[in-house]
Amino acid sequence: MKQTKTDAEIDRLAKGGHLLANILAQVASMVKPGVSGIELDQRAREFIKAAGAEPAFLDYQGFPAALCVSPDSQVVHGLPTAVKLKAGQIVGLDLGIYYDGLYTDTAVTVPVAEIDESRRRLLSVTEESLARGIAAATLGNTLNDIGRAIQEFVEPAGFTLVRDFVGHGVGYAVHEDPNVPNFVTPDGDIPLELGMVLAIEPMVNVGVADLSFGQDDWTVTTADGQPSAHFEHTIAVTKNGPRILTA
């Protein structure tokens, strides 16, 4: 799959990414105690249709929803259910769209009403680690520089990084090469190229990095049941530095 994009393609991705960011912000604003994942997914579908786009995740490899809804100990790929959110939880919302022939992907984790200090700190550290990873996505750097920027912020803060799932290229497919780990790897010294479009997405746990896989074949949870957070942006590597396409 094509790994680099032209300036014109990046501009198209930015238009789709802007739509996606607005849609996810609308969905996130609906998060409150008593709302179910199914309700959030339905509204996401409505917003996507109204924007003239298509959901990227619906039916992707069989996934039956447009929106991944991952509360508390759910890490990623949470299948929306009728279970209602409760005050004090956090919930990850991961959404992608197909617009003008291209895919964009973004995620946030938000509080459900008031949350405790541990969860507040988890959200703050994870979101800041994403910002640091994006800042490292410059020409002359490598994939490991992105992972290092994230890892060297998250781990000293006392949290763990999920290693079974990583970021990825995106554009003409939901997932393209290369993989974008949130940590340093032996084969990660791959130079960042002009026009690379990457979904950078740290997944950070309060407890162990080990995961458990749910009976629904999709939902991934922490092995110890402690909370996890997930933030993601689609970015482009440009001559002027990283460009966030899902701002």
Side-chain angles (χ1 to χ4, degrees):
M1 186 60 64
K2 185 179 180 183
Q3 292 187 20
T4 60
K5 311 297 187 292
T6 65
D7 289 347
E9 288 169 326
I10 290 171
D11 286 342
R12 285 164 56 200
L13 281 159
K15 290 178 182 178
H18 181 67
L19 287 177
L20 174 58
N22 285 335
I23 292 166
L24 187 59
Q26 291 180 80
V27 174
S29 72
M30 298 175 57
V31 169
K32 62 181 180 180
V35 170
S36 73
I38 287 178
E39 291 174 284
L40 295 175
D41 177 61
Q42 183 57 44
R43 294 308 301 273
R45 297 188 197 206
E46 293 170 1
F47 294 145
I48 290 169
K49 183 177 181 180
E54 298 175 27
F57 301 160
L58 182 62
D59 297 326
Y60 178 68
Q61 297 183 349
F63 191 72
L67 177 72
C68 298
V69 182
S70 305
D72 254 8
S73 63
Q74 293 184 15
V75 180
V76 286
H77 305 162
L79 194 62
T81 71
V83 176
K84 297 183 184 301
L85 296 174
K86 298 178 181 179
Q89 291 183 312
I90 56 176
V91 59
L93 305 172
D94 190 356
L95 189 65
I97 63 169
Y98 181 70
Y99 179 79
D100 194 17
L102 293 162
Y103 292 93
T104 50
D105 190 0
T106 191
V108 295
T109 303
V110 297
V112 185
E114 291 297 319
I115 58 175
D116 60 28
E117 176 59 27
S118 173
R119 285 174 173 80
R120 279 197 295 271
R121 187 163 173 269
L122 173 66
L123 296 189
S124 175
V125 167
T126 308
E127 187 170 20
E128 175 62 20
S129 76
L130 172 59
R132 292 179 181 228
I134 291 171
T138 59
L139 290 174
N141 276 356
T142 67
L143 290 174
N144 264 345
D145 288 311
I146 296 174
R148 184 177 295 106
I150 294 170
Q151 185 174 13
E152 290 184 350
F153 183 71
V154 168
E155 292 180 346
F159 298 109
T160 60
L161 283 158
V162 170
R163 291 174 177 262
D164 294 288
F165 295 92
V166 296
H168 52 90
V170 64
Y172 282 98
V174 176
H175 290 95
E176 296 179 355
D177 291 332
N179 286 337
V180 186
N182 301 301
F183 42 87
V184 175
T185 67
D187 57 354
D189 288 323
I190 298 171
L192 299 178
E193 299 178 38
L194 185 67
M196 271 187 170
V197 175
L198 308 172
I200 302 175
E201 49 177 326
M203 291 151 269
V204 178
N205 295 351
V206 167
V208 299
D210 299 327
L211 305 178
S212 177
F213 294 82
Q215 294 181 346
D216 61 19
D217 294 327
W218 288 106
T219 303
V220 178
T221 65
T222 57
D224 59 6
Q226 295 204 63
S228 181
H230 175 209
F231 285 84
E232 176 183 20
H233 272 307
T234 298
I235 68 102
V237 179
T238 79
K239 62 184 179 181
N240 297 317
R243 178 181 178 184
I244 300 175
L245 304 178
T246 46

